[in-house]
Amino acid sequence: METFVARYRPFVTAILSGFDRLVFRGTLLPLIIDGGMYTFLKRAGVQLLDFKEYVLATSERVKEASLREALEHNRPIHYLQSSSTDKEALARNSLAKHPVDRGLICAMRVVEPCMSFEYHRSADRRERGLKRRPRKCLHIYKYYLHPVFGFLNARIQTWFPFTIQICLNGREWLARQLQNRGRSDFHRQDNCFTRLGDPALAQRLMDQQLTIHWKQALDRIARDLNPLHARIFRPWPQSYYWSAYQSEWATDLLFQDPKPLAAIYPALVRHATLHFQSPDVMRFLGRKGVHGRFAGELISSFKRRPEGVRVKHWVQGNSVKMYDKAGSILRVETTIANTAGFKVFRPADRGQHRSLAWRPLRKGIADLHRRAQVSQRSNEAYLEALAAVDDSTPLHHILDRVSRSVTFNGRRLRALRIGDPDDLALLRAISRGEYATNGFRNRDLRRVLYPARQLTDGDQTRRLSARITRQLRLLRAHGVIKKIPRSHRYRLTRNGHLLTAALFAAREASLQKLVGSAVAA
């Protein structure tokens, strides 16, 4: 990122990185494990034959208790005919009509899908008993002006197991913190800041988000959603397990004037759409409800919106996107919904051996700090790759570095052959957009370079693995890639970004365009 920022430093007034949208899920884990609901009913003294009557009565009590706050404070309660209604717009409209400085804005009731329990009678013991099944039930949304987090919404499923979702915005949180400190030297538009009087202070405050006692803060909001929680679960006390269902981490570059950003942004968009993609044709994500979860496949999207042009890349449930906001902000944002493939340095979840090691990243809020690190690294890698746009380095300097043999760890290795189909395929593979977030491994390149081969033969797999190991060694020797410490993953270096960007841009350009550019230079 330093290279990109250094290039446009005269026009950039501030850089701000931190959470944008955060969606938390609260789950009562003891209830959803096998036999959990049965254990709770047994401790509560409820017979299975009375299950339906008990849960319906409890649900009615929860609805009444959750909406009591709105009734007592004379806040609007909306019933929505469809779950697709724009709830945020409705809440902001309610705030405009019925303003408050803090506290509840309004409540909403809507029927939405959920997972709940049903009692099954069956001669088959395996099918008999309480089962979790997809259903629909009434959900209650409550929108708040929170004293710490600002504008947020919280939702509770009014049937067992009373799952909760809380959605807030990190920029909203920052605005509240600045206001609480009496700062007025900033300008905010929607979920971004177009001006910051003290960028260093703003960044320090954003960094403090990672030190919030998230469980304590989320538990307080949960108590407002269901004031009866302690009473309902008195026979078997339990609290919510909080996980980050989805996180958006944004890096904003604030330009002092819209003109410099407008001048460079088309080139950034063109580079992102042409270079950060798989060999598949770039296309929109046209399948409703899938949210980009296509294992192993990168999907890139170009979209012109009223607030700006957005380029977005999805892979395995996560995404990286770039867009211009409010005319003078360049934003790169990483969204993580699927933590599979990421690692965190932590002790084991259970067992006697609690030594620290790199283990799978969990969705729980305990690993939120690592999620922030991964997201920031993704944003920086994306901006670093964009630094190749309009780079003034002569093309021959880039190509000459890799066009001669080198010595690596005492061994002489050949030059890269930029006209050879095998070397071109390798360079194209390592520059795929999905590897910007978490790097690539030997096995990833095997799937890309040899997709038609069914690697069921162990000997063939080992031969291909050894071949790619040699190719990775060659790329490392030429400074095109570097190994990520304590892992089997690799990432492009700055020289690697420049090489792949320049090489494939030159291969796609016409002779007339290349000669014209050289004459102009």
Side-chain angles (χ1 to χ4, degrees), residues 44-101:
V46 178
Q47 300 292 326
L48 284 179
L49 291 176
D50 300 325
F51 169 76
K52 184 175 181 180
E53 181 181 350
Y54 170 76
V55 296
L56 288 177
T58 304
S59 178
E60 289 301 318
R61 290 167 55 208
V62 169
K63 295 174 191 175
E64 181 183 347
S66 185
L67 294 173
R68 187 177 299 129
E69 180 184 10
L71 294 172
E72 290 177 351
H73 293 85
N74 198 28
R75 305 310 298 169
I77 301 176
H78 306 281
Y79 180 78
L80 308 183
Q81 297 290 340
S82 170
S83 61
S84 62
T85 302
D86 189 337
K87 302 175 186 66
E88 181 174 335
L90 181 58
R92 293 193 181 277
N93 186 50
S94 290
L95 180 61
K97 290 182 178 179
H98 311 279
V100 291
D101 294 328

Side-chain angles (χ1 to χ4, degrees), residues 462-502:
R462 282 190 290 273
R463 284 196 297 271
L464 290 177
S465 178
R467 180 178 181 181
I468 291 177
T469 297
R470 292 191 294 271
Q471 291 174 318
L472 291 173
R473 185 190 304 124
L474 179 65
L475 294 175
R476 290 182 70 187
H478 284 284
V480 177
I481 64 173
K482 61 182 178 182
K483 193 173 185 296
I484 300 175
R486 297 182 298 277
S487 76
H488 297 289
R489 295 178 180 273
Y490 300 85
R491 184 180 293 120
L492 281 174
T493 62
R494 179 179 179 273
N495 288 337
H497 283 298
L498 288 175
L499 172 65
T500 54

Side-chain angles (χ1 to χ4, degrees), residues 100 135 256 304 306 331 367 494:
V100 291
R135 303 190 64 179
Q256 62 184 3
R304 189 178 298 276
R331 171 171 287 187
D367 287 348
R494 179 179 179 273

Side-chain angles (χ1 to χ4, degrees), residues 184-189 192-197 254 329:
S184 59
D185 55 347
F186 66 92
H187 183 265
R188 180 171 166 234
Q189 184 172 332
C192 63
F193 293 84
T194 57
R195 181 171 60 87
L196 288 169
L254 283 64
I329 296 174

Side-chain angles (χ1 to χ4, degrees), residues 37-38 41 46-53 55 116-125 127-133 135:
M37 188 63 185
Y38 177 79
L41 292 175
V46 178
Q47 300 292 326
L48 284 179
L49 291 176
D50 300 325
F51 169 76
K52 184 175 181 180
E53 181 181 350
V55 296
S116 190
F117 297 96
E118 289 182 350
Y119 178 60
H120 284 254
R121 292 181 174 85
S122 174
D124 189 341
R125 284 181 174 272
E127 294 296 325
R128 190 187 311 159
L130 292 170
K131 304 292 182 183
R132 288 184 75 222
R133 294 286 186 267
R135 303 190 64 179

Side-chain angles (χ1 to χ4, degrees), residues 26-34 36 161 236 238-242:
T27 308
L28 297 175
L29 294 181
L31 284 189
I32 65 173
I33 62 175
D34 288 343
W236 189 13
Q238 51 192 278
S239 61
Y240 282 96
Y241 171 80
W242 294 104

